[in-house]
């Protein structure tokens, strides 16, 4: 059974994703654009899929859930760490004013730019580099979303958040388990 975006949206609703804006953004982003040719028939399965550079495109539910946790507003400026082929970037682009995205692999960043250009998405700034170092310029972000697991939350990223901004990251524990951690900046040097 080949699934389509409609089937995927129904599955996300069943799993508790109810934010209309997020569901509409996912509806407007054709996931097959962001996967390898061998994965096209699986594009709308709710599962991570392999992309180049031994990376994966995240599971749609995880993308939707992490974005939902950030409580994005149309006026927000978002920093994304880990562009990949641009799927999550495309979804977020529909939900905020501007998204800044950093990818460590040149090949993936190049693919993401092509994919987002195809969809005529214009509110994205790209950077090749290590996301742990942040954007590098004095921009404060309303939200930061980190795609890759990490054992620590890079301090430079916490410093890049506006007060009352949110950061979400999949944290890796020594046991091998992972948990999503949501951090809210409550003042200059305090975080919940």
């Amino acid at each position: 059974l080949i699934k389509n975006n409609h089937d995927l949206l129904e599955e996300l609703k069943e799993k508790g994703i109810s934010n209309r804006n997020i569901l509409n953004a996912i509806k407007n982003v054709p996931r097959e654009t962001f996967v390898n040719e061998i994965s096209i028939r699986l594009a709308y399965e709710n599962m991570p899929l392999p992309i180049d550079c031994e990376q994966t495109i995240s599971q749609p539910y995880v993308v939707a859930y992490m974005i939902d946790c950030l409580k994005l507003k149309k006026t927000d400026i978002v920093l994304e760490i880990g562009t990949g082929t641009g799927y999550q970037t495309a979804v977020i682009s529909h939900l905020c004013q501007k998204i800044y995205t950093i990818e460590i692999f040149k090949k993936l960043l190049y693919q993401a730019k092509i994919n987002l250009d195809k969809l005529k998405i214009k509110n994205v700034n790209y950077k090749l580099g290590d996301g742990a170092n942040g954007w590098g310029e004095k921009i404060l972000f309303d939200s930061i979303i980190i795609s890759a697991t990490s054992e620590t939350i890079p301090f430079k990223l916490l410093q890049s958040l506006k007060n009352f901004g949110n950061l979400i990251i999949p944290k890796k524990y020594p046991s091998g388990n992972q948990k999503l951690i949501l951090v809210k900046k409550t003042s200059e040097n305090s975080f919940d």
Side-chain angles (χ1 to χ4, degrees), residues 2 28 48 53 72 74-75 79 85 95 104 132 134 147 164 182 189:
I2 302 255
N28 289 320
C53 306
L72 297 179
K74 262 299 195 198
T75 53
L79 176 62
T85 55
L95 302 166
I104 203 162
S147 304
F164 307 108
L182 181 65
N189 290 305

Side-chain angles (χ1 to χ4, degrees), residues 68-134:
D68 198 25
C69 289
L70 294 174
K71 306 294 176 226
L72 297 179
K73 295 184 292 302
K74 262 299 195 198
T75 53
D76 283 357
I77 296 173
V78 178
L79 176 62
E80 176 189 44
I81 308 300
T83 317
T85 55
Y87 176 68
Q88 180 172 269
T89 318
V91 173
I92 293 170
S93 76
H94 291 279
L95 302 166
C96 68
Q97 184 182 336
K98 201 163 204 63
I99 177 168
Y100 292 76
T101 186
I102 304 174
E103 174 55 55
I104 203 162
F105 295 106
K106 194 176 199 170
K107 184 176 187 178
L108 292 179
L109 192 67
Y110 179 72
Q111 287 176 356
K113 283 181 181 178
I114 290 171
N115 293 339
L116 292 159
D117 281 349
K118 265 187 219 161
L119 300 178
K120 297 180 174 35
I121 292 172
K122 304 276 186 232
N123 60 339
V124 180
N125 285 350
Y126 305 90
K127 184 177 268 188
L128 181 67
D130 183 347
N133 299 323

